Amino acid sequence: QSVLTQPPSVSGAPGQRVTISCTGSSSNIGAVYDVHWYQQLPGTAPKLLIYVNSNRPSGVPDRFSGSKSGTSASLAISGLQAEDEADYFCQSYDSSLSGSVFGTGTKVTVL
Amino acid sequence: QLQLQESGPGLVKPSETLSLTCTVSGGSISSTSYYWGWIRQPPGKGLEWVGSIYYSGTTYYNPSLKNRVTISVDTSKNQFSLRLSSVTAADTAAYYCARQSVGGTYWYFDLWGRGSLVTVSS
């Protein structure tokens, strides 16, 4: 029941920059609500990567950056590394659901 | 360092009730700064928020599950629990518990448990 849309997959060579989009609506991202991003390595639990649009928790490399504009948000990974190969999910609050919504998820492949 | 650990049966029969408990260690579930949530992920699929609870007992549920889900908290044991009734194969998923930061414009999960795979099958 994802209401945030992400591309199914993105890929890039080591060292390149990739971006992942997250498109919502006027009841979530397009409203006042912030966007957060999670990284899920194979076989593990999701981990908070970016919170409140552009903030990195302690320990997250500055290669990861986030932004929000209008009804969309983006996650950028610069200097792509093999260890970045994972699934990435955006998340926000939705006022029509009175709860959390997640994106459809994007698989990042390092070529 | 705060940690969360899910526990409960890995196999549940159709039409029965799924029950999971999340034990919080290294910190208090009664912190006024956080909520506590459940998120699930069917095999090979995306994440779905199930519901959240505050230490006082205030709950928020995903409308798509609201009629079947109950989340409760036991502050004396530093635990919160999930019950999902009338389960079907569609409820087969990894269930994660997580600590949740909530503010005026934000609601995010900053610490996660390792997850508990629950299979619904006869």
Side-chain angles (χ1 to χ4, degrees):
Chain A
Q1 166 227 19
S2 299
V3 295
L4 304 180
T5 302
Q6 300 178 231
S9 64
V10 298
S11 62
Q16 284 190 331
R17 181 178 187 268
V18 298
T19 60
I20 301 170
S21 61
C22 174
T23 303
S25 68
S26 58
S27 62
N28 42 69
I29 299 176
V32 298
Y33 304 111
D34 298 308
V35 180
H36 324 287
W37 292 89
Y38 302 86
Q39 178 192 58
Q40 186 175 31
L41 297 169
T44 69
K47 166 193 157 186
L48 181 65
L49 193 66
I50 296 286
Y51 66 98
V52 186
N53 305 320
S54 59
N55 297 277
R56 287 185 307 275
S58 175
V60 173
D62 59 7
R63 304 184 290 104
F64 295 93
S65 62
S67 63
K68 171 191 164 183
S69 178
T71 58
S72 296
S74 292
L75 173 71
I77 311 173
S78 59
L80 195 63
Q81 299 183 5
E83 65 204 52
D84 300 333
E85 197 160 275
D87 292 323
Y88 293 81
F89 296 91
C90 59
Q91 178 252 320
S92 185
Y93 179 87
D94 190 285
S95 58
S96 65
L97 299 175
S98 296
S100 174
V101 289
F102 284 93
T104 49
T106 299
K107 181 175 181 59
V108 170
T109 301
V110 182
L111 301 173
Chain B
Q1 183 176 353
L2 189 135
Q3 292 184 320
L4 302 96
Q5 178 67 59
E6 305 87 352
S7 59
L11 181 64
V12 181
K13 290 182 169 58
S15 80
E16 296 190 344
T17 296
L18 178 159
S19 296
L20 292 172
T21 295
C22 182
T23 300
V24 178
S25 59
S28 175
I29 201 170
S30 299
S31 169
T32 58
S33 300
Y34 300 103
Y35 281 63
W36 306 90
W38 288 97
I39 302 99
R40 70 179 184 176
Q41 184 175 35
K45 297 189 178 181
L47 300 168
E48 180 181 34
W49 171 69
V50 175
S52 301
I53 191 166
Y54 194 52
Y55 79 96
S56 63
T58 300
T59 52
Y60 299 89
Y61 298 134
N62 187 321
S64 69
L65 301 170
K66 190 171 186 177
N67 292 336
R68 299 195 293 130
V69 66
T70 302
I71 297 176
S72 59
V73 62
D74 187 335
T75 55
S76 66
K77 295 182 178 179
N78 230 30
Q79 296 176 334
F80 62 107
S81 299
L82 168 69
R83 288 174 56 87
L84 183 65
S85 64
S86 305
V87 296
T88 68
D91 296 309
T92 293
Y95 286 78
Y96 297 98
C97 61
R99 188 178 74 174
Q100 183 176 341
S101 289
V102 176
T105 61
Y106 62 83
W107 176 313
Y108 63 90
F109 305 94
D110 62 351
L111 282 175
W112 295 61
R114 297 179 68 175
S116 178
L117 178 62
V118 179
T119 301
V120 178
S121 175
S122 56

